[in-house]
Amino acid sequence: MAGLSLRGVKKVYPGGVTAIHGADIEVADGEFVVLVGPSGCGKSTLLRMVAGLEEITGGEILIGGDVVNRKEPGERDIAMVFQNYALYPHMTVRENMSYGLRNMRTPKAEIEARIAEAAKILQLGDYLDRKPRQLSGGQRQRVAMGRALVREPKAFLLDEPLSNLDAKLRGHMRAELKELHQRLRATFIYVTHDQVEAMSLADRIVVMNAGRIEQIGAPREIYDRPATRFVAEFIGAPPMNFLPGALIGAAAPHVGVRPEALTVGGAGEVRLDGVVKLVEDLGADRFAHVAVKGAEAPVIARVAAHARHAPGEAVALTAERASLHAFDAEGRRAA
Amino acid sequence: MIENRPWLNVITHAGLLLGVFFLCFPVWMALVASTHGPEALSRSPIPLWFGDRGWENYSQLLAGGLPEAGGVPVGMMMLNSLIMALLIAVGKIAVSIIAAYAIVYFRFPFRMGFFWMIFITLMLPVEVRILPTYDVIVRLDMLNSYTGLSLPLVASATATFLFRQFFLTIPDELVEAARIDRAGPMRFFMDILVPLSRTNIAALFIILFIFGWNQYLWPLLVTTEERYYTIVMGIQRMTNSGEALPVWHYIMGTAVLAMIPPVLVVLSMQKLFVKGLVEQEK
Ligand SMILES: Nc1ncnc2c1ncn2[C@@H]1O[C@H](COP(=O)(O)OP(=O)(O)O)[C@@H](O)[C@H]1O
Ligand SMILES: [Mg+2]
């Protein structure tokens, strides 16, 4: 285990696409860092540069204090879990997990012990002699995790490891992964486009957009104080509402307010009048889409589960001033 | 197209049976003829059922030499053919899988140029380049040798192309996983690429073994010593018996024997081949 530093890391693909414009990230030993952003923003590129699978155009990457720019992936002492798992189809689960260790000439007894340990943690004991094609998606995912685990690497790199699973299994594996991290206290860098995964897994989140880092911070911090309008919109579902500042008498050009900060009726300091267009019932939560005069898009507000709002009904939405997020014309947070 | 009409079934089956009959009849005739004496086959009607000289004919073929075939024992010719066919099949597979590996996984100058050069040799089978190739083999002093018999036939654009297409379907992630697992180029090739290609290798082996076994023109040119004669040449020599009557019972016996190795190869490799098709790996 070790910490990781990215210093001014740049990536220009041959052909001229600049995928990363310069990234500075410090990952502490044992930290779970999630890189999150929309598809194509450069998350995979960044992770693959850390892994050594992609050449670094500029800047430095340090693992455990050593610059690894010129090192082969196998020499960086990292393990990677791929989106499609990349298990060797012709090898059994056991062979898949031991392949890297065998290449490093780890003693047989040691390999056996590590596989037994990983199999116990990941409940793979019954499948060790199966081939990947004889496993379900979730089991394959575990094997991919197991293959990383037995390496006892300085850092685990995961690229959208759960995105091929169905929603229910994804939730389950997410919890397992979190538990695994708490148990191992190893350094994890995790790439996802799913903000729910980011929020629930991360010690710290790195939000990326178009090859640039928008904000780095603890999940709560990112949620409560998004540094840019992009972060504010990307993190949180349904997303934050944006209104012209003038509409509520604010100085900033753009003001954001989260759906749960709005109440129907109530006695908030800010008031918006509108007409309910539709009500979304998600079981635990219920969201009303309200057309407000002067706002570009319908304003979404979380409403009480027992409240009955019909489309066409005129409502007043209110919020506290403290719950508003002000952004300047460039989309940066206005203190 | 799935249809279920009884009379259609009858017609299709009749058609298939007719096809099977046409395919099998010559084989049947060879088998029958090889169990008769020489006279039975020169008379009309020729027999359609087994005679009583099978044992005698086959033991004569396998043990002693036939004067009609230059006195070379059939067993020896079969061995020569086997060595040649194996060298060609194994050589072609080895060369082409390595060539495909280089072309798909390594970046070197003129990579695509080399690929197209290999591809163009598709238009140059041995029959087309037979004189220059013969000249090369003479200069290399390879007449009357197994190397001379097989080497000019070893390069294979088809197999290279087939392996290339297969390698291109292997996901990049797998290659990357192997890199992270510290598999160098040799290990990646031996531990991952070759095992994943084994159904391709089996299919190619069947085709190339038969291709090698059936070679006729090239062995005829490069061998002058009888101990390098191949079975296909042998059969041809037996039919060219000059003044004397062709020894049809021996010729047919040799033909039957010559069929055995390719049939064995097909039967044994077919299992692996079909298994590979059914258990498609993802
Ligand atoms: N091998 C490549 N060659 C050229 N451009 C690439 C390559 N891989 C990715 N890109 C480009 O780099 C950008 C970031 O890609 P990627 O890191 O895969 O995004 P993400 O993982 O966030 O979806 C995209 O615009 C993509 O088109
Ligand atoms: Mg990606």
Side-chain angles (χ1 to χ4, degrees), chain A residues 48 52-53 72-74 78 80 82-84 86-90 99-100 103-104 133 147 151, chain B residues 173-174 176-184 187-188 191-193 195-196 198 279-282:
Chain A
R48 290 162 53 79
L53 297 171
E72 273 290 298
I78 45 90
M80 186 145 170
F82 295 88
Q83 181 171 359
N84 298 311
L87 301 176
Y88 309 118
H90 59 295
Y99 186 60
N103 286 342
M104 284 181 254
R133 65 167 174 273
R147 184 167 68 179
R151 298 276 304 273
Chain B
E173 281 193 353
L174 209 61
E176 291 168 352
R179 278 180 75 192
I180 289 177
D181 271 342
R182 288 208 190 182
R187 270 182 191 267
F188 174 69
D191 293 347
I192 301 192
L193 231 37
L196 285 181
R198 70 181 192 287
E279 284 182 26
Q280 200 47 267
E281 326 229 42
K282 274 177 255 160

Side-chain angles (χ1 to χ4, degrees), chain B residues 188-206:
Chain B
F188 174 69
F189 182 69
M190 292 309 293
D191 293 347
I192 301 192
L193 231 37
V194 171
L196 285 181
S197 312
R198 70 181 192 287
T199 52
N200 285 294
I201 292 175
L204 267 177
F205 186 85
I206 294 178

